[in-house]
């Protein structure tokens, strides 16, 4: 019977697991839980191919529980109830550990079926998900579970797994199989932290070998993903990259910003790039360099007209411009404070002299009376009340500490004091 190489190499001990040392190295949280034998309900959160299923299987063996695995994309409520029926039977004398893969695909009703049993401890639930559990798993399950985040395996750890796979295949096929350093590096980076993907690549490279062979970079290249980056416009990774992108620009780190821009370019996500650049120009640069908004708009338009790959050039120009521009958040701070007052109802009626008076009878209603037209006065300015009475002394906008806004402040200080 055919056994996939990834299955043949599945670790049988905690020390064999590649990566996840933040969870399972000595005295780390999950390590201590496993060694104690008191296994709580858990949710393993992270991308595919990084050891979630393997670790769940190992935990079941270490705590001597009967292991059941269901995939929520295909399992039904009936499948869950069938497993529950084995509780306290000879089929599961020491209890059940249910591994529910991709729990985000279970409906609320399906998840609720599990509640009574995981509360009593008759079933230990280890659920896995590639999506943020705080968005996709119902609170009733979350409140009864401990969430552990799994991370992509580092290339240095993937290298160890690839070497094991090569050695295993050498013994199985009875040929001396080696791998060139550049090919080893390409596979370890090209898998994007997915160990299973790396092992599958080795399996494909060695399946038809009929003699002693060194795996070269040229042999490996066709089987390596064109992009090792994990990216899905509907996933956490999408928002994490965009968040890092904006924060790098806000922090004036053009090198980091270009790195995250490159990730977004490789993913082909021009819409998210341009939208974020346009908002950054006003949110993070704002009045410190007002021309940034119009320049970025022009560069964004160019990017859309050009399309990839040429679009990368105006996009990079916009990023570098925003990174190296002076920064001010005075605009967003001012408008958000004003919106907060409106939403909370912290305002009164508009002063009568500001109300519309362009109709017959407005004067009889007291509207528009005593309004001073600023352009009739020196420097086009005259003191009068514009805010409602309860907010008449409110200050939403504070001039930013940058050359443009400070120059503006000096001008208005001079005019208003005069």
């Amino acid at each position: 019977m055919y056994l996939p190489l990834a299955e043949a190499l599945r670790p049988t001990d905690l020390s064999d697991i590649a990566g996840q040392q933040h969870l399972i190295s000595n005295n780390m949280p999950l390590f201590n839980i496993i060694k104690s034998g008191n296994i709580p309900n858990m949710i393993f959160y992270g991308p595919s191919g990084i050891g979630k299923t393997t670790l769940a299987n190992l935990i079941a063996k270490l705590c001597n529980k009967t292991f059941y695995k269901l995939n929520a994309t295909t399992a039904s409520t009936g499948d869950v109830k069938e497993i529950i029926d084995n509780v306290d039977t000879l089929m599961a004398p020491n209890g059940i550990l249910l591994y529910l893969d991709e729990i985000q695909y279970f409906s609320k009703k399906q998840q609720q079926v599990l509640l009574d049993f995981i509360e009593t401890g008759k079933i230990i639930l280890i659920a896995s998900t590639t999506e943020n559990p705080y968005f996709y798993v119902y609170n009733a399950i979350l409140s009864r579970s401990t969430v552990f985040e799994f991370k992509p395996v580092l290339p240095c750890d993937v290298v160890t797994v690839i070497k094991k796979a090569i050695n295993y295949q050498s013994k199985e096929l009875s040929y001396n199989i080696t791998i060139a350093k550049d090919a080893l590096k390409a596979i370890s980076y090209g898998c994007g932290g997915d160990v299973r993907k790396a092992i599958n690549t080795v399996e494909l490279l060695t399946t038809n070998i009929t003699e002693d062979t060194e795996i070269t970079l040229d042999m490996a290249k066709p089987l390596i993903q064109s992009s090792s980056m994990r990216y899905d416009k509907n996933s956490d990774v999408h928002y994490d990259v965009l968040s890092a992108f904006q924060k790098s620009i806000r922090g004036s780190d053009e090198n980091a910003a270009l790195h995250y821009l490159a990730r977004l370019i490789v993913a082909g996500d021009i819409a998210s790039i341009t939208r974020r650049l346009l908002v950054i120009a006003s949110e993070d640069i704002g009045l410190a360099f007002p021309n940034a908004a119009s320049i970025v708009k022009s560069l964004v338009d160019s990017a859309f007209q050009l399309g990839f790959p040429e679009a990368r050039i105006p996009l990079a120009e916009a990023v570098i411009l925003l990174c190296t521009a002076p920064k001010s958040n005075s605009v967003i701070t001012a408008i958000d404070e004003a919106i907060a007052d409106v939403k909370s109802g912290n305002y009164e009626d508009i002063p009568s002299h500001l109300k519309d008076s362009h109709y017959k009878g407005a004067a009889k209603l007291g509207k528009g009376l005593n309004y001073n037209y600023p352009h009739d006065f020196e420097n086009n300015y005259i003191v009068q009340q514009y805010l409602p009475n309860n907010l008449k002394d409110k200050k939403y906008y504070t001039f930013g500490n940058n050359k443009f806004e400070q120059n503006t402040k000096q001008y208005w200080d001079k005019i208003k004091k005069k």
Side-chain angles (χ1 to χ4, degrees):
M1 180 178 174
Y2 167 69
L3 183 67
L5 182 58
E7 191 62 34
L9 293 176
R10 190 177 290 279
T12 56
D13 186 82
L14 285 178
S15 60
D16 295 328
I17 294 178
Q20 313 314 325
Q21 293 307 299
H22 64 294
L23 297 177
I24 59 173
S25 61
N26 284 340
N27 293 320
M28 289 293 103
L30 191 50
F31 175 88
N32 291 334
I33 287 173
I34 295 170
K35 290 302 181 183
S36 73
N38 298 316
I39 310 300
N41 301 305
M42 294 183 283
I43 296 175
F44 291 170
Y45 158 48
S48 59
I50 57 173
K52 300 190 296 294
T53 304
T54 294
L55 186 55
N57 211 329
L58 278 176
I59 290 172
K61 290 179 181 178
L62 291 170
C63 66
N64 198 27
K65 302 284 186 184
T66 302
F67 183 75
Y68 288 93
K69 179 183 177 183
L70 291 178
N71 190 302
T73 58
T74 56
S76 65
T77 303
D79 295 322
V80 175
K81 289 181 177 178
E82 188 175 328
I83 292 171
I84 290 172
D85 288 341
N86 290 326
V87 172
D88 296 330
T89 69
L90 292 176
M91 294 293 291
N94 298 310
I96 289 172
L97 190 151
L98 170 61
Y99 179 67
L100 182 59
D101 197 14
E102 304 293 354
I103 189 175
Q104 73 270 18
Y105 292 108
F106 253 19
S107 67
K108 184 176 182 179
K109 182 179 179 181
Q110 288 174 305
Q111 292 187 31
Q112 285 175 330
V113 171
L114 296 166
L115 286 179
D116 289 341
F117 291 89
I118 67 174
E119 276 192 312
T120 60
K122 291 183 177 181
I123 287 180
I124 294 173
L125 174 69
I126 298 182
S128 75
T129 175
T130 56
E131 306 294 343
N132 191 324
Y134 295 100
F135 296 154
Y136 292 94
V137 179
Y138 289 96
N139 285 333
I141 295 288
L142 274 176
S143 65
R144 293 164 176 82
S145 307
T146 303
V147 177
F148 291 100
E149 183 177 2
F150 284 58
K151 298 179 179 179
V153 180
L154 296 174
C156 58
D157 293 321
V158 177
V159 164
T160 302
V161 176
I162 294 171
K163 289 179 177 178
K164 285 182 181 179
I166 294 290
N167 290 335
Y168 181 89
Q169 289 295 77
S170 291
K171 292 176 182 178
E172 286 293 302
L173 300 173
S174 299
Y175 294 114
N176 181 31
I177 304 173
T178 59
I179 184 167
K181 286 184 178 180
D182 54 358
L184 182 63
K185 181 179 179 180
I187 297 172
S188 65
Y189 278 88
C191 70
D194 186 330
V195 174
R196 184 167 54 237
K197 186 187 293 183
I199 295 174
N200 290 343
T201 300
V202 172
E203 184 172 21
L204 290 170
L205 286 166
T206 57
T207 296
N208 295 318
I209 283 178
T210 56
E211 60 184 359
D212 293 350
T213 303
E214 180 185 52
I215 296 171
T216 66
L217 180 59
D218 287 340
M219 294 167 62
K221 272 184 177 179
L223 298 178
I224 298 172
Q225 296 286 336
S226 60
S227 170
S228 63
M229 184 180 66
R230 300 173 184 272
Y231 191 85
D232 180 341
K233 291 182 182 180
N234 296 314
S235 74
D236 276 359
V237 175
H238 167 74
Y239 296 105
D240 288 344
V241 173
L242 287 174
S243 177
F245 180 54
Q246 180 161 1
K247 288 171 181 173
S248 297
I249 295 176
R250 181 182 297 148
S252 301
D253 189 330
E254 63 274 15
N255 297 304
L258 286 168
H259 169 77
Y260 295 114
L261 173 65
R263 290 196 188 190
L264 294 162
I265 288 172
V266 171
D269 194 359
I270 191 170
S272 294
I273 297 170
T274 53
R275 181 181 182 278
R276 195 58 64 113
L277 288 174
L278 289 169
V279 76
I280 289 170
S282 294
E283 179 180 346
D284 296 305
I285 283 73
L287 291 174
F289 181 34
N291 285 341
S294 57
I295 296 171
V296 169
K297 177 62 168 63
S298 176
L299 291 168
V300 162
D301 289 344
S302 294
F304 272 116
Q305 288 181 328
L306 290 168
F308 287 131
E310 289 83 358
R312 75 190 189 282
I313 304 168
L315 293 176
E317 184 178 349
V319 166
I320 295 170
L321 171 75
L322 295 175
C323 281
T324 56
K327 306 295 187 294
S328 173
N329 71 339
S330 61
V331 173
I332 186 174
T333 301
I335 187 58
D336 282 355
E337 189 175 345
I339 289 172
D341 272 345
V342 172
K343 284 185 174 180
S344 65
N346 184 27
Y347 60 91
E348 294 177 356
D349 194 23
I350 297 169
S352 294
H353 63 280
L354 298 182
K355 291 182 177 180
D356 180 26
S357 59
H358 292 86
Y359 60 92
K360 188 176 180 180
K364 292 181 180 179
L365 295 174
K367 296 185 178 183
L369 299 179
N370 303 317
Y371 169 65
N372 292 312
Y373 186 58
H375 296 292
D376 290 339
F377 298 87
E378 184 181 3
N379 297 315
N380 306 303
Y381 177 75
I382 181 67
V383 176
Q384 62 185 327
Q385 182 181 331
Y386 291 96
L387 279 167
N389 286 330
N390 70 318
L391 295 172
K392 65 180 182 179
D393 297 320
K394 182 84 175 191
K395 293 188 182 298
Y396 293 113
Y397 173 66
T398 300
F399 289 93
N401 187 24
N402 57 77
K403 185 176 180 180
F404 183 91
E405 287 182 272
Q406 285 302 306
N407 285 341
T408 305
K409 181 178 184 298
Q410 288 177 15
Y411 171 81
W412 281 109
D413 282 347
K414 180 180 177 181
I415 297 299
K416 291 183 178 182
K417 285 178 182 177
K418 183 176 180 181

